[in-house]
Amino acid sequence: MSNSAWWKDAVFYQIYPRSFQDSNGDGIGDLPGITSRLPYFSGSEDSLGIEALWISPFYPSPMVDFGYDISDYTDVDKLFGSLEDFKTLLAEAKRLNIKVIIDLVINHTSDQHPWFLEARSSIDNPKRNWYIWHPGQPRTGPAKAAGKRPKRPNNWISMFELRNAWWWEPTTKEYYYGSFTRNQPEVDWRNPELKRAMYNVMRFWLDLGADGYRIDVVNWFIKDDQFRNNPFSFNVDPDLFQKHIYDRNRPETHDICREMRQVTEEYTARDGRDRILVGEVFDHDPSNAAAYQNHHNQELHLAFNFDFLAQPWSASRFYNSIRKWYDAIGNEGWPNFTLSNHDRRRHYGRYRKPGCTVARARVAAAMLLTLRGTPFLYYGEEIGMNNLRIHHRELQDPLGIRMWPLWWYGRDPERTPMQWDSTPHAGFCPPEVRPWLRVHHNYVRKNVAAQQRDPKSLWHWYRSLIALRKSEQLLRSGEIEFLRKGGGNVLAYRRWLGAGHAGQPGHAGHAGQPGGAGGAGGSILVVLNFGLRLFGQLPKELAALLPAEGAELLLGTHAQPGTRIQAGHGLAPHEVLVLRLE
C-alpha cells in the first residue's frame, strides 16, 4: 500500500477489544490479546491478508456504555492493559505492515471525567462552558408556587434511556445535556478551549503512531444554539419519533471536521503518510454522510453509509443503495462499504435462510470486496459468526437492558467473543474463566481453526477475495459500470481502468462507459446471483461480453480459478463469478 492513499487500497477489519482475545485470564479481551493475534492478519502462512485495523475504544471508562463513556482520553483502561501495551501493539503492527486506526469518542465524555467533575461543581468554574448547560424553562401557576424545578429546555431525546435528554444537576441547579445516557454529558463544541483540548487528544495518539481515527457520531457535535424543539416524525427506529434537525447535522459541524482534518494533515505533511478520519455519520440518508466527505477533500476521508448496511437480501435493493451512494459521493469523495459492526446485527444472521445462509454469505463477501470503495469487515465475519440471543440475566448492554423484553434492540448479540477454536470458550479465554459475554454455542464446529483446515470454508473464501483484490488494481481503484441492476435477483458490474488512469485511482463513484476494450488493462466482470433461480445460460447482456473462447475465471463459488467460462454457462443459485475480460 502506498503511504498517501493506503486507505483506498486497504481492507479494514474492526476489532471490538472486549471480545477479541483475553490474554490475562479475566474473561475480557485486551490489547496484549490483540497483539498476540496480529499474525492472524498478516505475516504468517495462515494470515487473512488484512493490512488495516480499526480498534474500538479501550480508554479508561466507568463502562456504563462499555468504553464510549470516557473518563481519560490519554490512557488505556486497566481492563485492556496499559499505554505501554498499546505502544507494543503499534510497534508489532508496523513490523507486519498493518495500519491501525482507533476510536475517537468526542461528542461526549463520561460524567466521571475530570473536566465534567469540575464543570458540575460550580457555575463559575473555568470548565463550566466546556459542556452544554441550560437553566430550563420557567414554571408558571401552581407549579411555580410549589417551587418545582424549571421545565426541561426542549424535547431532545436520549437514545439509550428513551426519555428527555436533559439531566438535572442539583449542585448548580441547571440541566446538562446527554443524548445517549445521563452518564455521558455532551461537550460544547462552540467553546474554543474545549476544541483545543480535543485536538490535543488527537495529537497525543497520532504522536504515538496511530494511523487515524474512526470518529463516533460526528454529525451530532453541534446543537442548535437556540435550543429549538425537534418536530415530530413517524419514524421510530432510529429517530424515536423526532426529525433531528436541531440536535444533529448542524452546518457548523463541517467547520469542526475541517479543523480536525488540519490536525491530521500536520502529520501527513511530515512523512507523506495519510492519517485518516473515518466518520460515523449516524443517519440513513447517504447524502448526509457524503456531505462530510465532499468538500474538496478538506473534511473526512471516509464516512460510513448506513443505508447500505440496512438493506434486505435483494440484488435490486443493494443496487439502488449502491447507486445512491455513488451519486451522493460524486467525484470528490471516496466510497466505502460495510455490512456489520458493533452496533448492528451481524449480516450472517440477518440474511439467514435455511439451506442458503452460507451461500448468501459468500455472495455478500464477494459484493463487499469487489465494489468500488474501501471495505470494512467486522471481527468474525470471515467465519460466519452469528448473532446470539442473550438471556435477560446475562445482558450487558445498557440499551438492551433498557429495552427488555424487546431484546432485538440490544447490542450484545453481535458482540460475543471471537471463535478461535473448539476448546472451551472458543479459545477466547482460559477454560476455567467465565467470559464477559457468553460465547455462541456453535463455536465447537464454527471457529477459525476448523475453517482454516477446510479449503472450501467461508474463511478461505474471504481470504481468496482479499488476495484477489490486493493483486488486481482494477478491483482496488478501477471504475465501475453496472451491467445488471438486480433483474432476476442478479447484480453484475464491470471494473475497469479508463484511459488516462496510468495506474492511478479514478474518480470516486464514477460509473461511466468503458468504451472499446474496456480501458487499459482490460476489465473484470463480477456476476452475483442473489437468488435460487437457475439460469440456463448467462443473461444475454453478460454473455455478449465474453469472447468465443470464454473468459478466465479469477474466482468463483462453483468452479476452479483458471476455468474458461463460456457464454452458455449456466448460472447456479447463489453463484459468484469474477471473470477477466481481455
Side-chain angles (χ1 to χ4, degrees):
M1 293 184 292
S2 66
N3 272 341
S4 56
W6 61 266
W7 46 276
K8 293 183 178 181
D9 289 346
V11 176
F12 280 81
Y13 186 103
Q14 181 192 356
I15 292 176
Y16 189 68
R18 293 182 73 91
S19 296
F20 199 64
Q21 181 65 64
D22 170 22
S23 73
N24 61 1
D26 64 357
I28 298 173
D30 47 45
L31 296 182
I34 296 173
T35 303
S36 72
R37 293 292 187 177
L38 288 179
Y40 174 70
F41 302 111
S42 180
S44 73
E45 291 184 2
D46 293 327
S47 65
L48 192 57
I50 296 292
E51 293 181 327
L53 301 179
W54 155 28
I55 304 177
S56 294
F58 49 76
Y59 310 100
S61 167
M63 298 295 167
V64 173
D65 189 19
F66 288 99
Y68 288 86
D69 50 322
I70 295 171
S71 56
D72 185 347
Y73 281 111
T74 56
D75 205 350
V76 172
D77 195 287
K78 292 179 181 178
L79 281 174
F80 301 121
S82 67
L83 201 55
E84 288 303 313
D85 290 327
F86 180 73
K87 294 176 183 177
T88 300
L89 189 160
L90 282 182
E92 182 63 10
K94 183 177 181 180
R95 186 184 73 80
L96 295 173
N97 194 32
I98 299 173
K99 302 290 194 298
V100 177
I101 69 171
I102 61 177
D103 252 76
L104 191 64
V105 187
I106 50 179
N107 173 70
H108 49 265
T109 71
S110 164
D111 60 355
Q112 299 305 305
H113 196 292
W115 297 348
F116 189 68
L117 294 179
E118 287 190 50
R120 76 191 315 175
S121 67
S122 166
I123 288 180
D124 300 322
N125 188 278
K127 295 285 195 303
R128 180 72 174 186
N129 292 329
W130 285 32
Y131 292 84
I132 300 174
W133 297 89
H134 197 286
Q137 302 294 341
R139 295 281 186 178
T140 58
K144 179 179 180 181
K148 287 190 175 182
R149 72 177 60 157
K151 294 185 292 186
R152 289 178 170 83
N154 57 31
N155 69 347
W156 299 350
I157 198 165
S158 165
M159 287 295 295
F160 292 171
E161 301 210 29
L162 306 179
R163 51 175 294 185
N164 192 282
W166 290 95
W167 311 99
W168 183 251
E169 170 49 61
T171 302
T172 57
K173 293 183 170 51
E174 285 192 338
Y175 290 99
Y176 66 88
Y177 181 63
S179 63
F180 287 93
T181 69
R182 69 191 71 197
N183 304 106
Q184 294 166 281
E186 304 217 358
V187 298
D188 186 355
W189 273 97
R190 299 180 189 277
N191 186 303
E193 292 182 356
L194 179 280
K195 288 201 292 186
R196 282 194 292 270
M198 288 302 192
Y199 298 153
N200 285 335
V201 167
M202 293 178 64
R203 293 185 178 96
F204 177 86
W205 297 100
L206 294 174
D207 285 340
L208 291 182
D211 293 292
Y213 297 101
R214 175 269 189 186
I215 310 170
D216 194 56
V217 292
V218 66
N219 58 320
W220 294 28
F221 285 177
I222 291 287
K223 277 67 181 178
D224 177 49
D225 57 2
Q226 299 179 49
F227 300 100
R228 287 170 283 189
N229 284 320
N230 284 324
F232 176 79
S233 167
F234 286 101
N235 187 359
V236 61
D237 185 13
D239 291 338
L240 298 177
F241 299 111
Q242 290 188 5
K243 295 180 181 178
H244 293 275
I245 62 175
Y246 293 122
D247 57 345
R248 303 177 196 171
N249 293 313
R250 304 300 298 167
E252 300 93 332
T253 310
H254 293 285
D255 296 330
I256 297 170
C257 290
R258 281 188 282 270
E259 292 173 2
M260 295 173 73
R261 181 64 175 262
Q262 290 171 11
V263 173
T264 61
E265 291 298 322
E266 296 172 14
Y267 292 81
T268 301
R270 296 176 189 177
D271 57 14
R273 176 168 58 90
D274 277 352
R275 275 62 160 192
I276 69 164
L277 301 174
V278 184
E280 179 197 28
V281 180
F282 192 81
D283 197 305
H284 282 287
D285 184 347
S287 63
N288 283 338
Y292 290 89
Q293 293 186 218
N294 287 3
H295 295 278
H296 307 290
N297 206 29
Q298 294 177 345
E299 296 188 33
L300 305 180
H301 296 79
L302 298 170
F304 285 126
N305 170 25
F306 289 112
D307 179 75
F308 179 81
L309 185 151
Q311 294 308 309
W313 187 253
S314 161
S316 59
R317 290 287 295 270
F318 272 116
Y319 167 75
N320 290 333
S321 178
I322 296 163
R323 182 72 273 166
K324 283 192 298 183
W325 185 225
Y326 284 156
D327 288 345
I329 288 291
N331 289 337
E332 289 190 79
W334 180 257
N336 66 89
F337 294 96
T338 187
L339 286 167
S340 301
N341 66 26
H342 62 293
D343 285 334
R344 302 297 179 98
R345 289 291 184 271
R346 292 179 176 275
H347 69 273
Y348 186 89
R350 295 203 318 271
Y351 299 140
R352 69 188 182 278
K353 182 179 177 63
C356 302
T357 303
V358 175
R360 285 184 169 190
R362 293 178 187 273
V363 175
M367 175 177 62
L368 185 68
L369 289 160
T370 61
L371 282 172
R372 177 179 176 80
T374 300
F376 282 75
L377 310 183
Y378 185 47
Y379 79 95
E381 175 179 328
E382 69 277 18
I383 61 170
M385 277 183 61
N386 209 340
N387 308 296
L388 177 65
R389 184 168 179 177
I390 305 296
H391 301 308
H392 184 225
R393 65 180 180 277
E394 299 175 303
L395 288 175
Q396 302 287 335
D397 175 36
L399 179 60
I401 293 171
R402 179 70 176 173
M403 292 298 293
W404 185 264
L406 304 179
W407 60 269
W408 52 89
Y409 283 104
R411 298 168 297 174
D412 289 330
E414 60 265 29
R415 297 179 176 183
T416 56
M418 180 67 174
Q419 295 166 208
W420 292 106
D421 56 43
S422 60
T423 62
H425 307 314
F428 166 72
C429 64
E432 68 277 8
V433 173
R434 182 178 180 179
W436 79 280
L437 202 59
R438 179 163 47 96
V439 179
H440 199 292
H441 51 78
N442 67 10
Y443 78 87
V444 174
R445 56 182 174 79
K446 180 177 287 189
N447 58 71
V448 170
Q451 293 200 19
Q452 285 178 330
R453 292 191 297 267
D454 178 5
K456 297 181 179 180
S457 69
L458 185 61
W459 186 90
H460 276 280
W461 178 246
Y462 268 87
R463 188 190 195 197
S464 296
L465 283 164
I466 293 168
L468 181 62
R469 189 179 187 277
K470 190 179 300 185
S471 66
E472 296 287 347
Q473 186 190 349
L474 290 170
L475 294 178
R476 298 194 310 275
S477 57
E479 309 291 352
I480 189 166
E481 174 196 15
F482 287 91
L483 304 169
R484 194 171 179 94
K485 304 173 182 180
N489 221 7
V490 173
L491 183 65
Y493 44 89
R494 178 158 54 174
R495 302 296 310 278
W496 55 283
L497 292 179
H501 268 69
Q504 296 302 315
H507 294 305
H510 190 320
Q513 299 297 322
S523 59
I524 290 177
L525 174 65
V526 179
V527 183
L528 308 171
N529 187 355
F530 280 71
L532 290 169
R533 178 180 172 185
L534 172 64
F535 290 79
Q537 60 182 25
L538 287 176
K540 60 182 180 180
E541 66 268 41
L542 307 180
L545 298 174
L546 273 59
E549 69 275 14
E552 177 193 1
L553 180 68
L554 298 176
L555 192 62
T557 51
H558 291 62
Q560 292 298 314
T563 302
R564 304 299 296 192
I565 301 298
Q566 308 290 332
H569 175 83
L571 187 63
H574 299 114
E575 184 169 5
V576 172
L577 297 172
V578 184
L579 303 170
R580 187 185 303 283
L581 303 179
E582 301 297 342

